[in-house]
Amino acid sequence: MTATTDHECFTQPNSENISLWKYMDFTKFMALITYQKLYACRSDLFDDPYEGTYPRKIVKFVQELKEDDTEDNAKVARAIYDFNKKLRKATYISCWHANDFESAAMWDLYSKNDASVAIETTYADLKNILPSEAMLGLVNYIDYDKEVFPMGNLFYAFTHKRKSFEHEREVRFLIQKLPIDKNNKVDFDSIVTPNVIPVDIEINKFVKKIHLSPRSPEWMLSLLQDVVKKYSINVEVRRSNLYISPIY
């Protein structure tokens, strides 16, 4: 199985050999290697309140539609907009940073303490370990005050972010888990969706390197190497030299 990458809403990179990074604290790293699972978070629980929402012009357009407007376009736009609000609670996302080099900003943003880890892979390898229900692609950054994207497909709201987040250079995979009741109907009102969902993976099939935080104490490198060895993970483990003293 591989992730779906041929959907119109998911922009693909020029090369699938680009490096992807995921920064995390040591606890999340231990969960990853212990359970061999990636966890995707529900989109409405992200720190960014705009996650999975529409730009200002679209919101204004829908809000100005009259309740008694019977035009097909108006009815469709209102239905899509209303459904999107609920869909955010059934859309799960895992975020990755695309970069040929490690990022000081990402260490600061996504590693909560000095005992943090970043795993490095490639776009192709991530794609190949994901199930086909996972949609994979680049995030597109736009000005939410001035620009728009099409309303014709609900995925567009989840493949765009504000330009304020452009530094993240994000690649994401997305899985939607609609709450289906016993009558095989979508029921957002009665069924509670989980905060995260697990995705089964095999570490050795996609992780290329494991990086320890540049601010971590020296002894942690030995600990990390021992842990990785214990779990039979056959990849290079290194401590970041991002803040190593320069030589003059």
Side-chain angles (χ1 to χ4, degrees), residues 48-61 81 84 88 93 139-150 154-166 170 172:
D48 179 10
Y50 282 72
E51 186 68 61
T53 64
Y54 289 104
R56 189 177 300 275
K57 286 185 177 180
I58 293 179
V59 174
K60 183 179 179 181
F61 165 73
Y81 184 78
N84 171 262
R88 295 176 70 218
I93 297 170
V139 168
N140 298 290
Y141 299 94
I142 65 172
D143 184 339
Y144 268 49
D145 289 330
K146 299 177 180 178
E147 298 178 83
V148 297
F149 49 75
L154 288 164
F155 281 126
Y156 279 121
F158 300 100
T159 58
H160 289 76
K161 293 184 71 169
R162 290 175 292 164
K163 278 189 173 292
S164 299
F165 294 88
E166 203 163 12
E170 185 180 336
R172 58 174 43 176

Side-chain angles (χ1 to χ4, degrees), residues 52-117:
T53 64
Y54 289 104
R56 189 177 300 275
K57 286 185 177 180
I58 293 179
V59 174
K60 183 179 179 181
F61 165 73
V62 174
Q63 290 177 343
E64 290 179 350
L65 290 174
K66 296 179 180 178
E67 289 296 328
D68 59 352
D69 193 335
T70 58
E71 290 289 330
D72 287 344
N73 288 343
K75 290 191 291 184
V76 170
R78 189 181 294 110
I80 290 174
Y81 184 78
D82 291 341
F83 186 71
N84 171 262
K85 292 180 181 179
K86 299 177 179 180
L87 190 61
R88 295 176 70 218
K89 294 185 177 182
T91 301
Y92 296 86
I93 297 170
S94 176
C95 309
W96 299 72
H97 175 67
N99 205 330
D100 289 333
F101 305 94
E102 64 179 297
S103 167
M106 292 299 106
W107 279 121
D108 291 340
L109 280 172
Y110 293 103
S111 55
K112 306 218 184 289
N113 51 54
D114 294 347
S116 299
V117 174

Side-chain angles (χ1 to χ4, degrees), residues 8-240:
E8 63 175 329
C9 296
F10 290 81
T11 303
Q12 297 303 303
N14 294 328
S15 169
E16 290 192 348
N17 292 324
I18 61 171
S19 292
L20 300 183
W21 302 67
K22 192 164 188 68
Y23 296 81
M24 64 192 78
D25 61 37
F26 199 78
T27 303
K28 289 184 178 178
F29 174 73
M30 287 302 302
L32 171 68
I33 65 174
T34 301
Y35 302 117
Q36 300 275 311
K37 296 179 188 294
L38 289 170
Y39 291 89
C41 180
R42 211 172 74 188
S43 67
D44 65 318
L45 299 178
F46 278 61
D47 289 338
D48 179 10
Y50 282 72
E51 186 68 61
T53 64
Y54 289 104
R56 189 177 300 275
K57 286 185 177 180
I58 293 179
V59 174
K60 183 179 179 181
F61 165 73
V62 174
Q63 290 177 343
E64 290 179 350
L65 290 174
K66 296 179 180 178
E67 289 296 328
D68 59 352
D69 193 335
T70 58
E71 290 289 330
D72 287 344
N73 288 343
K75 290 191 291 184
V76 170
R78 189 181 294 110
I80 290 174
Y81 184 78
D82 291 341
F83 186 71
N84 171 262
K85 292 180 181 179
K86 299 177 179 180
L87 190 61
R88 295 176 70 218
K89 294 185 177 182
T91 301
Y92 296 86
I93 297 170
S94 176
C95 309
W96 299 72
H97 175 67
N99 205 330
D100 289 333
F101 305 94
E102 64 179 297
S103 167
M106 292 299 106
W107 279 121
D108 291 340
L109 280 172
Y110 293 103
S111 55
K112 306 218 184 289
N113 51 54
D114 294 347
S116 299
V117 174
I119 58 173
E120 182 182 354
T121 184
T122 67
Y123 190 93
D125 286 317
L126 178 62
K127 181 185 78 171
N128 290 333
I129 58 98
L130 292 174
S132 58
E133 66 177 336
M135 318 286 283
L136 178 66
L138 306 175
V139 168
N140 298 290
Y141 299 94
I142 65 172
D143 184 339
Y144 268 49
D145 289 330
K146 299 177 180 178
E147 298 178 83
V148 297
F149 49 75
M151 287 190 72
N153 193 299
L154 288 164
F155 281 126
Y156 279 121
F158 300 100
T159 58
H160 289 76
K161 293 184 71 169
R162 290 175 292 164
K163 278 189 173 292
S164 299
F165 294 88
E166 203 163 12
H167 63 281
E168 293 182 346
R169 302 175 64 171
E170 185 180 336
V171 166
R172 58 174 43 176
F173 72 79
L174 176 156
I175 296 174
Q176 288 184 335
K177 294 284 189 182
L178 297 178
I180 305 297
D181 65 17
K182 60 183 180 180
N183 296 317
N184 205 32
K185 293 183 178 180
V186 178
D187 182 359
F188 285 102
D189 298 322
S190 303
I191 300 176
V192 178
T193 53
N195 290 351
V196 297
I197 59 169
V199 179
D200 293 329
I201 46 90
E202 292 184 46
I203 299 293
N204 281 317
K205 286 189 175 181
F206 85 108
V207 174
K208 300 302 182 187
K209 292 182 182 178
I210 298 172
H211 304 260
L212 184 61
S213 167
R215 294 191 175 92
S216 63
E218 288 288 345
W219 60 265
M220 276 214 68
L221 178 59
S222 296
L223 173 62
L224 180 59
Q225 289 170 332
D226 289 343
V227 167
V228 168
K229 182 179 179 180
K230 177 181 179 181
Y231 283 88
S232 301
I233 302 172
N234 303 312
V235 300
E236 178 186 351
V237 179
R238 62 179 294 274
R239 183 176 183 271
S240 168

